[in-house]
Amino acid sequence: MANVEQVQPGKGPSLVIQIAMLMAVTVAAIGMGWMSGDYLKAAQGPDVVPPATATEAKHTEGAKPEGGGAHGAAAASTLVALAPITTNLASPADMWIRLEVSVVYDAPQPPALAEQIQQDLMAYVRTLKMHQIEGASGYQHLKADLEERAAIRGGGHVKQVLIRTLLLE
């Protein structure tokens, strides 16, 4: 027969060493998470404007936000939430789309401009076909087209179009 080493039960690292190793791995994981978060915050840079809620957008309509310091460029912009766009697509005709967007102006603009931009975007969305907006590249093309139309209609005052909701049914 083969020689079999006899292992005595209970032999191995003690419970204290196991707990110490578990604590060391936990502390290392927390430290790496903390460092990753700091790195990602620093990579964002000061140019990122935090998204505003709908109530904040209503309060900032037509009013210039106050601020200064490092966020001087972001403080000069105005975020306006447009009315939701609900319409059917060009093809297939029974496909409906609901699109909620916000527009970032470089300076406060009259509310009539936001209505004109909303109407222009709705006219554009009605011409879309389903295959044009499928996938990630379709979404990017849609966003670029919306920003281009808003910039043209806004007379160059529109800095960015933020898509808050895109729902297809």
Side-chain angles (χ1 to χ4, degrees), residues 120-163:
D120 194 35
L121 295 182
M122 179 155 60
Y124 170 70
V125 168
R126 289 182 60 97
T127 65
L128 290 175
K129 297 180 181 168
M130 184 63 189
H131 68 87
Q132 292 175 314
I133 56 176
E134 286 180 343
S137 62
Y139 174 78
Q140 288 177 338
H141 290 298
L142 173 66
K143 186 168 177 8
D145 290 341
L146 292 175
E147 286 182 347
E148 181 180 354
R149 284 187 158 267
I152 291 170
R153 178 64 67 179
H157 292 291
V158 176
K159 291 171 55 177
Q160 191 176 11
V161 173
L162 305 173
I163 299 177

Side-chain angles (χ1 to χ4, degrees), residues 75-169:
S77 62
T78 304
L79 178 71
V80 177
L82 301 181
I85 297 170
T86 305
T87 185
N88 60 329
L89 296 177
S91 173
D94 61 341
M95 180 70 67
W96 285 81
I97 185 170
R98 179 177 171 93
L99 183 67
E100 294 180 11
V101 297
S102 294
V103 178
V104 179
Y105 294 123
D106 57 356
Q109 299 296 320
L113 182 60
E115 293 173 14
Q116 291 173 354
I117 292 172
Q118 191 263 348
Q119 290 297 320
D120 194 35
L121 295 182
M122 179 155 60
Y124 170 70
V125 168
R126 289 182 60 97
T127 65
L128 290 175
K129 297 180 181 168
M130 184 63 189
H131 68 87
Q132 292 175 314
I133 56 176
E134 286 180 343
S137 62
Y139 174 78
Q140 288 177 338
H141 290 298
L142 173 66
K143 186 168 177 8
D145 290 341
L146 292 175
E147 286 182 347
E148 181 180 354
R149 284 187 158 267
I152 291 170
R153 178 64 67 179
H157 292 291
V158 176
K159 291 171 55 177
Q160 191 176 11
V161 173
L162 305 173
I163 299 177
R164 296 183 327 196
T165 304
L166 176 63
L167 179 69
L168 295 164
E169 182 180 300

Side-chain angles (χ1 to χ4, degrees), residues 3-9 11:
N3 290 336
V4 178
E5 292 182 29
Q6 293 187 2
V7 178
Q8 295 178 1
K11 289 290 185 178

